[in-house]
Amino acid sequence: MKKQTFFTLLIIAFVLSFFVTPLGDYSKILLNRWLAMAPTIITPEKRGKISSYDWTLKDEDWKLFSFEEAKGNVVFISFWTSWHMPSQAQLKDIQSLYEKYKGRVNFYIITNEERAPVELFMEEHGYTFPVTYRIVGEDSPVTILKPPGSYIIDKNGFIAVHQNAIADWDNSAVDALLEELISE
């Protein structure tokens, strides 16, 4: 076999590894993280307001609670699933955001999955943010976004961020926005 043919086959094998191996999954998640941009912050005069806080959810212990508890607080909502690669890619940033702002921002990291796969995923990755379970069919004050969609809502219910795709949540623009919204 010629040297050029060998290197061509080696490159093909490397490229194929991104599509058919666990190495590929890890690489795609890493690539998604690198390409993620800061979320678009909506200017105050263009912010829409959520319709209400009437929304029943389940906490990580599978107990029902009302989103009404978020009223008057800065809120971070992110829709995700454990099997969705773009969701997986931004969870590391969400974990960092949670560690910085827990107790000052209400976090709702929402999935519609069953508990078992979510608990396994959280344990495997060492995430400690609170998981919220959506009740399918339950009315929501915000549009249910496809994962990894997210919102940041201010204390008065105005939507400061409405992100439909993966975002870099661990950056200075998000920090400045959250500090501003917390201090209002």
Side-chain angles (χ1 to χ4, degrees):
M1 186 176 350
K2 292 183 180 180
K3 215 179 213 184
Q4 186 177 4
T5 305
F6 174 76
F7 285 118
T8 302
L9 290 173
L10 190 61
I11 289 171
I12 290 170
F14 178 73
V15 169
L16 283 175
S17 75
F18 279 88
F19 297 101
V20 296
T21 68
L23 169 66
D25 288 348
Y26 177 76
S27 299
K28 285 185 254 183
I29 289 170
L30 194 59
L31 187 61
N32 270 294
R33 282 187 192 145
W34 288 342
L35 297 176
M37 306 277 280
T40 303
I41 298 170
I42 303 168
T43 58
E45 62 275 1
K46 293 186 178 180
R47 293 179 183 168
K49 191 170 185 176
I50 64 172
S51 57
S52 74
Y53 286 84
D54 184 24
W55 191 13
T56 302
L57 299 158
K58 290 181 186 176
D59 67 14
E60 47 198 6
D61 295 322
W62 217 245
K63 293 179 183 165
L64 296 175
F65 72 95
S66 175
F67 185 64
E68 190 78 32
E69 72 181 22
K71 196 171 193 174
N73 296 301
V74 176
V75 176
F76 179 84
I77 298 172
S78 186
F79 297 96
W80 72 289
T81 57
S82 63
W83 52 267
H84 189 246
M85 207 165 297
S87 292
Q88 293 173 17
Q90 77 174 13
L91 288 178
K92 186 174 182 183
D93 286 351
I94 290 173
Q95 178 66 39
S96 294
L97 199 66
Y98 172 70
E99 288 170 4
K100 278 189 232 175
Y101 293 100
K102 67 181 170 189
R104 301 187 321 155
V105 171
N106 287 26
F107 284 84
Y108 299 90
I109 316 304
I110 302 173
T111 185
N112 63 356
E113 292 180 85
E114 293 296 321
R115 279 177 74 181
V118 171
E119 288 173 348
L120 179 63
F121 179 85
M122 296 290 287
E123 186 177 320
E124 285 176 353
H125 292 86
Y127 294 133
T128 59
F129 54 77
V131 175
T132 304
Y133 295 90
R134 183 170 75 87
I135 302 169
V136 177
E138 176 74 22
D139 287 339
S140 164
V142 295
T143 302
I144 304 295
L145 302 175
K146 289 182 180 178
S150 302
Y151 292 98
I152 294 178
I153 302 170
D154 73 12
K155 293 177 182 179
N156 298 311
F158 287 94
I159 300 170
V161 172
H162 174 191
Q163 185 71 23
N164 285 315
I166 187 174
D168 171 14
W169 294 104
D170 190 18
N171 68 64
S172 59
V174 172
D175 288 341
L177 173 66
L178 289 175
E179 290 297 339
E180 177 189 329
L181 296 178
I182 291 167
S183 67
E184 288 179 347

